[in-house]
Amino acid sequence: MPTLRSSSSPSTVSSPLRRTAGGVQRGFSASSSSSVSVPYGDRDSDQASQGDSDSLSADEGSDFEDHLRRNVKKRAAKRPLKTTPVAKHPKKGSQMVCGHGQKDSEPTAIDLFDAVKAAKSDMQSLVDEWLDNYKQDQDAGFLELINFFIRSCGCKGIVTPEMFKKMSNSEIIRHLTEQFNEDSGDYPLTAPGPSWKKFQGSFCEFVKTLVYQCQYSLLYDGFPMDNLISLLTGLSDSQVRAFRHTSTLAAMKLMTSLVRVALQLSLHKDNNQRQYEAERNKGPGQRAPERLESLLEKRKELQEHQEEIEGMMNALFRGVFVHRYRDVLPEIRAICIEEIGSWMQSYSTSFLTDSYLKYIGWTLHDKHREVRLKCLKALKGLYSSQDLTARLELFTSRFKDRMVSMAMDREYDVAVEAVKLLTLILKNMEGVLTDADCEGIYPVVYASNRALASAAGEFLYWKLFYPECETRTVGGRERRRSPRAQRTFFHLLLSFFVESELHDHAVYLVDSLWDCAGSQLKDWESLTSLLLEKDQSAYCVVARGGDFSPPNLGDVQESTLIEILVSSVRQASEGHPPVGRITGRKGLTPKERKIQADDRVKLTEHLIPLLPQLLAKFSADAEKVAPLLQLLKYFDLNIYCTRRLEKQLQEVVVKHAEPAVLEAGAHALYLLCNPEFTFFSRVDFARSQLMDLLTDRFQQELEELLQSSFLDEDEVYSLAATLKRLSAFYNAHDLSRWELYEPCCRLLQKAVDTGEVPHQVILPALTLVYFSILWTLTHLSGSGASQKQLLSLKGRMVAFCELCQSCLSDVDSEIQEQAFVLLSDLLLIFSPQMIVGGRDFLRPLVFFPEATLQSELASFLMDHVFIQPGELGSGHSQEDHLQIEQLHQRRRLLAGFCKLLLYGVLDMDAASDVFKHYSKFYKDYGDIIKETLTRARQIDRSHCSQILLLSLKQLYTELLQEQGPQGLNELPAFGEMRDLARRFALSFGPQQLQNRDLVVTLHKEGIKFSLSEPPPPGSSSQPPNLAFLELLSEFSPRLFHQDKQLLLSYLEKCLQRISQSPACPWGPVTTYCHSLSPVENIAETSPQGCPRYKKRRTEGPSRQQRGDVSSSQEESLQLNSIPPTPTFTSTAIKRRQPLRGLEEVEEEGRSEPELTQGQPLSGNQRSRFSSPQHFQTLLNPSGPGLGNQLTRLSLMEEDEEELEIHELSEEWQETDKHTSPSEHGLDLLDSTELNLEDF
């Protein structure tokens, strides 16, 4: 690569600004190294200048200065410069306020800046106008250009002719820095608003056009470009972020334009060399000496121009890029990487070398997303060309591991670009990516982000499928893939999915490959032919380019191929990704909708005749039949014409009893039973035949069961299978005319009375009765029902609820859980919510459960939900899968109970049975309980706070009954209760004023409970409930300073009623009093006692400090006992100001608002407050045991309060919006059996 050299003005130039440009080795390092007082608020720290010094040392040994000195005389010979620039006549009306306040003539920089900002005029005409002004007065024109760049930085200061004459480059920048005293941190490149959005593009376009218009004139004049480069280099080294950002952008765009000019010069030189060689090779008679001489002169001129351009590029690269590519501002780093990538693509001869590629390689590790993204995009442009990849071998070997690891980047867009880059490497550099590298990319095809999964799917396609299934071109035209190639594709797809064992659902693999291999996945002809082949002699490739052998498809391969078929049909019909995969697209384009409609017609025409054959072949396998039945919902049934499908559906339903098959069959028949279709009568007749068959069989088997005292296993299985089929069809079809309610109730009644009915018969019978009630409600809701019909339905519902209530005590857990689910859904449906929306005529159906039923529901929840499950293993064993399924079932039960609470079916106080397990079962049910707590607070904040207190009371009472009052606060269970109390306290959020009354009331009720039972007579032990005060202390940070004082007074009055006085202070009282003591909050209150706000921190804590805070916060959430007390210092207790108002505080009869509005305590009241012995010990620094009784909370309450508010600023920011459950869907509490919107 030719070495980039710099050219500059001669050293005899007297102007300081031009003198720094003439001596680039001096001028390019000026401006920021001197210590300047920078008043601008958005200025960066000294990291930028430190990075500059590092980068200078890293790039020592360059020949930049030698070439610079070598070119000085040559540049001076081209344009003799005047010793001192003299400003000519400026434009009319152009005035400015100079640095010392006087008015003077100035160039119209504001006009040029405003024109670029507006971007209304053609940029070329704007540059031409400036060139005309420059030719008339060079110094004034150059000052206009300088001030344009200064103004683009957001600086109000302007370089005047006087400053230009007398001040050096660094002094000018220092002067501008001192004038950069903007209050806002925004500048033109970052300012918000529509007027600034297009400024960066216009600014870059101006720089590009400036170089383009000057490439044949001023570009090789030593004065303007060298001085401009010197100015931009100095500004890029400034501590002011606006100067550094804007000048770096200008310098890099200037460098990009110079690279294009250098490329053009290189082409002109090559063309000149060919012309010269051609002329010289002519015969003596044909050779023209004048032509040769002119070509030599031209080549010399081009060589000089190229050296000058290379000198400018070298000056920009060494003076700006080398320092700024690792700037502290990520936007600046991104600009540098983006531009060097464009240089490598456009002028690869000079820039595509390891000495430049290393900068991109190093920056691949940048911590900022945008910078890593620019690196990958730059590399994509290089690896996309096979001509350039040969020069990237060393770079690839050095940074390949990093590029492969970036496929797992935490930022999805960066990971997408990384996978696309690896795909280009796979295409254009054969053998570089090893099998181990590729295996790290394969799991990404199952990523939740669709863009990332699609990129990984393309990588997988080019690695595994394309070499074997590529489409050959004949005569420049692509021919259709052969059936053998298509079969090979599906065999490879099966092999990858089955053997890799990365995922259980092929639908995500199909979606990942859809963009790159959609045409092959939509080859339903090949798919069905593979499935329907009798001898399974499908061809598959053994090795690349090897022979084909006809293996048989195994059972797993057949099931997977059916899943691929269904997935491709779904993708073509619906056009959206599967569940759980995120896509940023809002909808399909008209072209995509047209393709989707055409594909739906094609798949319907092909699969409707073949679906009966597929069902007939795989009718015995439930795992294969169920997905095949799902194909019907993707068909265009308007063109349905066959009669064989109804028969196949009947056979499948009669043959199978698995829930998945029955559900799919019932739904398929439901799709066909549309009255709008011409074949409705035929399908409806087939459905009636099937239901007649099933109901007749059910009646016959039921009579045998009711009359016989014993049934063998076959009879039980047959009856259970019939009930399952009827239940599945009752879910999708209205079977009311077959009157299944009465016989099922008889069956359930016998099961309750005798207990002789098998559980596998009871389960579907319960569901049948449930659906019967719902279908009856549907009929009555849609028309004017009579009072008799409504009362009849309610009677049926009440009778069924009684049956379910009886089943809650059944010995079989499956029956208990099924009864609970159906009961909770029915109670919710027949709650007061059913008359909302103008359906007041349904009021007779509203049902409120009795207290006994509510109690049984709560007891069932305790016995079946809040139990400790076993530890999960790796998650792949059968036992682990069973435990996960059981956990899902328990979450379903809990969600049903919480819905009953929120919709007012159950008394809200019953929520205490749920809330008290919030901390212990946070891992399993934390999201559901948190959502319930949030919605309960929205319904009634005051009642919710009382429920939280009730939950703590219940837990404390249970522990007290089990362990006794001695050493209660030292038990691990008590530590868990403190953790729960802390979580409850955090649930109040940062809205301290809004929750003031609630928290004070909670403390008051807690104090009453802790002293509700006196100690045994004649005993010096503390009251049994006194340890509850330690739980109550977790809520103290939620209190205001005044409320803490009044609660201390209230606690004193309550304690005075106790006749016994301990010899030493009770520990729980000490802990609670320290949490209420106003000593810790003196800093946050004014002398008048009014709370004042803490000063907001302007800078966040360091990483180590944040780690310490988070670790201490996590530790505080897991307290099992009182932590060790730090050494007591004089800052713990200070001399208080005289306080007053205690005698105005009344006893229990006083209302809570009065308590919260009380006055601070006076001095004499403080002394009276300390009269009991235990209070004297607490508040006297010389008292015994004070150092042992102080807790961490007493010394660090203020800091913990800040941490808690910061922790919950996002978690609870929406909890105070008062909305009813009917206005917001219960996302975590969806209906377990029925969508309530249907009723």
Side-chain angles (χ1 to χ4, degrees), residues 969-1001:
N969 54 359
E970 299 178 0
L971 297 174
F974 191 82
E976 295 178 359
M977 291 168 57
R978 292 197 63 170
D979 183 18
L980 178 63
R982 180 176 176 81
R983 290 185 182 273
F984 284 168
L986 294 177
S987 70
F988 284 95
Q991 295 82 12
Q992 194 172 4
L993 182 61
Q994 190 175 3
N995 297 318
R996 182 177 184 180
D997 294 344
L998 304 179
V999 179
V1000 170
T1001 304

Side-chain angles (χ1 to χ4, degrees), residues 438-439 441-446 456-457 459-461 463-465 488-503 506 508-510 512-513 557 560 564:
C438 297
E439 289 173 359
I441 312 299
Y442 294 158
V444 185
V445 296
Y446 300 107
F459 179 89
L460 176 67
Y461 176 78
K463 174 63 178 178
L464 297 182
F465 305 137
T488 301
F489 170 79
F490 287 115
H491 275 283
L492 291 173
L493 187 62
L494 285 173
S495 176
F496 170 78
F497 179 78
V498 174
E499 295 177 5
S500 62
E501 297 181 351
L502 295 173
H503 206 274
Y508 295 96
L509 178 60
V510 170
S512 301
L513 293 169
Q557 284 79 5
T560 305
I564 292 173

Side-chain angles (χ1 to χ4, degrees), residues 1042-1149:
Q1042 300 92 328
D1043 299 335
K1044 292 182 178 181
Q1045 296 176 355
L1046 296 175
L1047 284 172
L1048 280 172
S1049 175
Y1050 181 77
L1051 177 62
E1052 177 203 6
K1053 289 182 176 294
C1054 293
L1055 286 171
Q1056 287 176 351
R1057 302 174 188 171
I1058 302 178
S1059 58
Q1060 296 91 347
S1061 297
C1064 60
W1066 288 324
V1069 176
T1070 305
T1071 301
Y1072 184 62
C1073 287
H1074 276 299
S1075 70
L1076 291 180
S1077 176
V1079 176
E1080 293 81 7
N1081 286 357
I1082 284 293
E1084 65 175 284
T1085 57
S1086 61
Q1088 293 78 11
C1090 299
R1092 66 186 180 192
Y1093 295 99
K1094 299 179 183 178
K1095 185 177 180 182
R1096 183 187 295 265
R1097 296 179 180 173
T1098 56
E1099 294 182 359
S1102 63
R1103 182 177 303 176
Q1104 184 177 359
Q1105 291 172 342
R1106 289 196 299 267
D1108 297 341
V1109 169
S1110 62
S1111 62
S1112 64
Q1113 195 169 356
E1114 180 179 355
E1115 181 182 354
S1116 64
L1117 286 174
Q1118 299 175 354
L1119 287 175
N1120 293 328
S1121 60
I1122 299 178
T1125 305
T1127 305
F1128 177 67
T1129 64
S1130 61
T1131 60
I1133 295 182
K1134 302 179 182 178
R1135 180 70 61 185
R1136 296 176 178 80
Q1137 298 294 332
L1139 302 173
R1140 59 180 181 174
L1142 180 61
E1143 65 273 3
E1144 299 174 2
V1145 180
E1146 297 179 0
E1147 295 183 5
E1148 296 180 19

Side-chain angles (χ1 to χ4, degrees), residues 956-977:
Y956 182 86
T957 304
E958 292 173 4
L959 185 63
L960 185 65
Q961 293 175 353
E962 292 177 2
Q963 304 293 337
Q966 298 298 327
L968 195 67
N969 54 359
E970 299 178 0
L971 297 174
F974 191 82
E976 295 178 359
M977 291 168 57

